[in-house]
Amino acid sequence: FKGILLNTMRKVTALIASAGAGRRMGMEGKKQYVTLRDKPVVAHTLYQFEECKEINSIILIVPQGEADACRSQIVDRFGFKKIKHIVEGGSERQDSIRNGLEYVTDEEFVLIHDGVRPFVNCEMIRDVLAAAYRNGAAIVGLPVKDTVKRVSISGFVESTVKRDDLWSVQTPQVFRTDWLKQAHKSAFERGFYVTDDSALVEWLGKDVAVVHGLSENIKITTKDDLEIAETILLNRLTPMENLSV
């Protein structure tokens, strides 16, 4: 697939979802602004998309009332050039993505990524883009390794789930823009909410390809995740370290 990207003229915009409240972090402030090596988590994430040439533009989705602060503290501070819009999110993640989609115009594909997954890299971005170019939709994930149990509300095992065809899904996720907009519009009209955008596209009856992700592509939602992220960063110094504070 990678050869497809070298000569493509397709336009891609990245929606970076960074509007979460971060309640599980148990710290003051939003989780995306918690620092890794003195830089906000979301800045590490944005850097990867800023540097990846296959991404034409970025739409950053932030908590309500924080657009101006994010522009000064993140965009201007670190000199990000690809961010075309800073959009305020909604009450749920799905609402936030729908808000961001209103600013997608002529791009053929939309990439969606969690702002608190800072260890995405350009190779992963290219892999999932290539799969989406071929299939119309693609996501990143990993096969489930642990034994999975279905547990009742009362706390007892109901069954052991066969894990051979189970995957744990990550972001980035990439979709044809028309598919994604149609999925969000239909879901909004019906009051249908899911946990990721892939589920909406699947709901339309579209096939979604899956490409292998990385175990270090973690989503930072708790203090334990933050400690793991610090360890990963110690072993993975990137040019982001050279950006001014």
Side-chain angles (χ1 to χ4, degrees):
F1 292 153
K2 294 178 183 178
I4 296 174
L5 298 170
L6 297 178
N7 298 312
T8 184
M9 296 300 292
R10 287 171 166 138
K11 294 183 68 175
V12 181
T13 191
L15 266 63
I16 306 301
S18 192
R23 297 182 183 91
R24 283 181 288 174
M25 187 65 75
M27 301 171 64
E28 291 186 6
K30 304 294 193 296
K31 61 189 176 183
Q32 56 269 39
Y33 302 131
V34 172
T35 58
L36 285 173
R37 286 186 175 265
D38 300 320
K39 298 177 181 66
V41 169
V42 70
H44 288 274
T45 304
L46 288 168
Y47 179 81
Q48 301 303 322
F49 293 92
E50 182 81 15
E51 292 297 298
C52 191
K53 66 181 181 180
E54 285 78 12
I55 301 300
N56 300 102
S57 62
I58 299 170
I59 297 171
L60 178 59
I61 307 171
V62 302
Q64 293 181 10
E66 296 192 15
D68 290 341
C70 187
R71 181 172 298 281
S72 62
Q73 297 173 21
I74 303 293
V75 180
D76 295 341
R77 176 184 175 191
F78 295 106
F80 293 121
K81 304 299 184 185
K82 287 186 180 179
I83 298 176
K84 304 303 181 186
H85 301 284
I86 299 177
V87 180
E88 294 188 357
S91 57
E92 301 290 339
R93 184 182 188 278
Q94 190 168 314
D95 299 318
S96 297
I97 297 299
R98 189 177 66 252
N99 289 354
L101 281 174
E102 293 182 7
Y103 293 84
V104 179
T105 53
D106 61 341
E107 291 85 359
E108 184 181 356
F109 284 86
V110 176
L111 178 150
I112 297 172
H113 187 68
D114 299 318
V116 289
R117 287 189 191 269
F119 300 116
V120 64
N121 59 43
C122 200
E123 182 177 2
M124 186 189 304
I125 294 168
R126 287 170 179 155
D127 285 348
V128 71
L129 282 174
Y133 291 169
R134 178 172 179 175
N135 300 285
I139 61 177
V140 172
L142 290 172
V144 171
K145 295 181 179 179
D146 296 328
T147 297
V148 178
K149 303 283 187 179
R150 180 173 287 109
V151 180
S152 68
I153 296 176
S154 56
F156 291 91
V157 173
E158 293 184 339
S159 62
T160 299
V161 180
K162 186 178 180 181
R163 68 185 181 192
D164 295 357
D165 55 355
L166 294 179
W167 286 58
S168 177
V169 173
Q170 305 174 343
T171 62
Q173 300 186 355
V174 182
F175 310 96
R176 279 179 40 170
T177 300
D178 56 342
W179 288 6
L180 190 60
K181 285 191 172 186
Q182 180 186 353
H184 271 273
K185 181 176 183 294
S186 297
F188 178 70
E189 291 171 349
R190 292 166 174 77
F192 177 58
Y193 279 80
V194 293
T195 55
D196 78 342
D197 296 274
S198 176
L200 290 180
V201 174
E202 295 160 31
W203 180 55
L204 285 184
K206 307 296 186 182
D207 292 330
V208 179
V210 183
V211 299
H212 271 267
L214 295 173
S215 59
E216 68 179 28
N217 184 29
I218 64 171
K219 186 176 183 180
I220 301 175
T221 59
T222 67
K223 287 184 178 180
D224 288 343
D225 296 332
L226 189 60
E227 292 177 4
I228 294 170
E230 293 281 2
T231 300
I232 293 172
L233 198 60
L234 281 173
N235 297 312
R236 183 187 171 187
L237 296 179
T238 71
M240 177 66 190
E241 298 303 304
N242 296 323
L243 288 186
S244 61
V245 177

